[in-house]
Amino acid sequence: MTDRPNVLFVMTDQHRGDAIGADPACPTDDGYSIVHTPNVDQLVGDGALFSRAYTPAPSSIPARRCLWTGQTPATNGCTNWTTDDWEFENPLPRLLRDAGYQTRLTGKTHSLPQRNHFGFEQMELHAGLTDPDDYSEWIDGRSDGEYGEISHGIGRNSWDPRPSHLDEHEHPTNWTTNRALEFFETRDPTRPFFHCVSYVRPHQPFDPPQRYWDMYAERDLPVPYEGEWSEDTYREYVPEYPKTSAWCADLSPTTIRRARTGYYGSITHVDHQVNRLLRKLSRIGELADTLVVFASDHGDMLGDHLLWRKTYAYEGSARIPLVVRFPDEMAVERGRVVDRPVGLEDLMPTFLDAAGVDIPDTVEGRSLLTLVTGDSDDPDWRDCYHGEHGPIYHDENATQYLVGERYKYVWNPVIDDELLFDVRADPGEEVDLSDDSEYDETVESFRERLIERLADHPEGYSDGEALQPRGADRPSA
């Protein structure tokens, strides 16, 4: 055995920050959270919930590159969706492996090429993409090729939902858990482990097993947020006959409610699988010595402001759940909701810090342990967080954003449009404050910060004195 903690990192895909029950902005019914995630919520009692956690780039590939390198999108060369192979100087799993950890990933990586281990010793893959993976080969063998994960006919980026056609034990969410449990049974007990269990859901298709669909099918679910500003910004992009993969669509209330039924059902399904992981660690006597982190790569708009999927600066897309459960012997303040702005690039230094591994100079994030040990109100912590995404879905659909504990400033570098939201008072971002003279100083302060932040940015969005919009004809990042 070792005195260094094990690490269980549970990751979901396209999971909104307000879609866990413990989150302060989770929608409620009669005062209780609508989204049922008791197993993730209970982690907060032995740890912390980071209620201002964001993705540095709200789509899978750039977000995950930042996660595994501890770097910002511009530094690791990925400010947009990209197909470049992953070649990192100091990826997290390699550093932990070299420090003596047994490193394993079960589920989704989105690494390029798909079988790139980038430091993981072992990998059981469910990528949820077009290329074959370990899950697709398993389900093909089980069904003799008669059915597979999406033979129900729902696309991988579709807002059109339905319950899964698969038996619950054949669903990829269960498969991912089963493969993870096998690792706990066969791992090397002489080394601490770093095990990333990465679920594809609640990413589309919104297809939980029937039991989880039924949990929400008759509930009074929240309707999408609608800002007056969004009509001016997005109405012109709404198609009369939207594709099921549309990024912008004005769908019927019934369709939206069904999409949310499938989405929330998928989240509760994952939550129950998290309980299986925690019970297993408890039974083998490892839970007390394990750092458990639950997070996602980005969120999903679910119809807010006429938008679907991700890549946007708005809360549904950019804010993520982040819950940490600390090992029993770690001297930290527990049961806290931390509202300081944090992001995915902070996870790598957090894991290294907990493992007693030196944090390389290439890492730009900071260890979250500084916010829960000693002075929990660290005055040197960042007062705002920067995120971005290059044009995708449409030439004018690009974003830069800064968010603090209260306000969020959003700038579109193509059309030179600004928005300001009070995300504490208005978590749905329905009221744009950027034209309100009362907030002129706030807007100017954020604008100056973004000018400074982007001064050396590869896209040339700032000359150090003013923001420089690039126009719709600029090449994608």
Side-chain angles (χ1 to χ4, degrees), residues 23-275:
D23 189 81
C26 183
T28 59
D29 181 14
D30 294 329
Y32 294 92
S33 300
I34 285 177
V35 186
H36 186 66
T37 55
N39 298 293
V40 172
D41 296 347
Q42 71 173 336
L43 299 176
V44 180
D46 290 322
L49 166 67
F50 293 84
S51 63
R52 281 278 164 262
Y54 289 86
T55 180
S59 66
S60 289
I61 292 177
R64 290 166 188 258
R65 286 173 64 109
C66 295
L67 163 67
W68 297 122
T69 62
Q71 297 176 336
T72 60
T75 297
N76 69 41
C78 191
T79 59
N80 203 340
W81 191 90
T82 181
T83 57
D84 293 342
D85 286 353
W86 287 19
E87 297 180 1
F88 305 138
E89 182 180 355
N90 294 307
L92 171 65
R94 183 187 302 158
L95 292 177
L96 289 174
R97 181 196 65 193
D98 292 348
Y101 273 73
Q102 185 176 7
T103 56
R104 155 83 173 222
L105 185 139
T106 308
K108 180 172 182 175
T109 64
H110 229 319
S111 59
L112 299 170
Q114 181 168 279
R115 293 286 181 177
N116 180 355
H117 283 216
F118 60 98
F120 282 105
E121 293 176 314
Q122 302 174 1
M123 186 178 289
E124 286 278 341
L125 192 64
H126 172 232
L129 301 172
T130 56
D131 295 333
D133 58 34
D134 296 319
Y135 169 76
S136 66
E137 293 175 358
W138 176 83
I139 195 68
D140 283 348
R142 187 175 176 90
S143 68
D144 292 326
E146 292 296 318
Y147 58 86
E149 179 183 0
I150 59 170
S151 56
H152 49 33
I154 305 300
R156 293 198 182 276
N157 286 303
S158 175
W159 43 254
D160 190 25
R162 56 152 287 169
S164 178
H165 60 298
L166 298 172
D167 179 88
E168 183 174 331
H169 298 289
E170 295 181 321
H171 196 282
T173 297
N174 284 64
W175 179 91
T176 299
T177 307
N178 291 338
R179 300 291 83 74
L181 296 178
E182 288 177 0
F183 167 75
F184 290 135
E185 294 168 355
T186 60
R187 74 177 188 88
D188 179 356
T190 68
R191 291 191 288 166
F193 65 77
F194 176 80
H195 189 185
C196 176
V197 183
S198 181
Y199 295 99
V200 169
R201 303 305 189 271
H203 189 292
Q204 298 102 324
F206 300 145
D207 63 348
Q210 184 71 54
R211 294 175 181 84
Y212 291 96
W213 178 277
D214 292 346
M215 290 179 67
Y216 294 94
E218 303 301 325
R219 298 291 302 277
D220 185 15
L221 301 181
V223 299
Y225 293 113
E226 296 181 17
E228 291 184 6
W229 58 270
S230 61
E231 282 290 317
D232 295 336
T233 304
Y234 295 112
R235 175 58 66 178
E236 65 179 294
Y237 302 119
V238 173
E240 184 176 1
Y241 303 104
K243 297 178 180 179
T244 56
S245 60
W247 63 274
C248 189
D250 190 359
L251 304 177
S252 73
T254 298
T255 300
I256 293 172
R257 196 176 73 81
R258 283 175 56 81
R260 293 185 171 215
T261 294
Y263 186 77
Y264 293 149
S266 295
I267 288 169
T268 299
H269 185 200
V270 170
D271 180 80
H272 287 176
Q273 299 303 300
V274 170
N275 189 37

Side-chain angles (χ1 to χ4, degrees), residues 407-409 419-422 431-434 439 442-443 446:
Y407 295 106
K408 182 194 289 181
Y409 170 80
L419 298 166
L420 181 72
F421 303 110
D422 182 343
V431 180
D432 171 29
L433 304 172
S434 64
Y439 296 92
T442 303
V443 171
F446 274 112

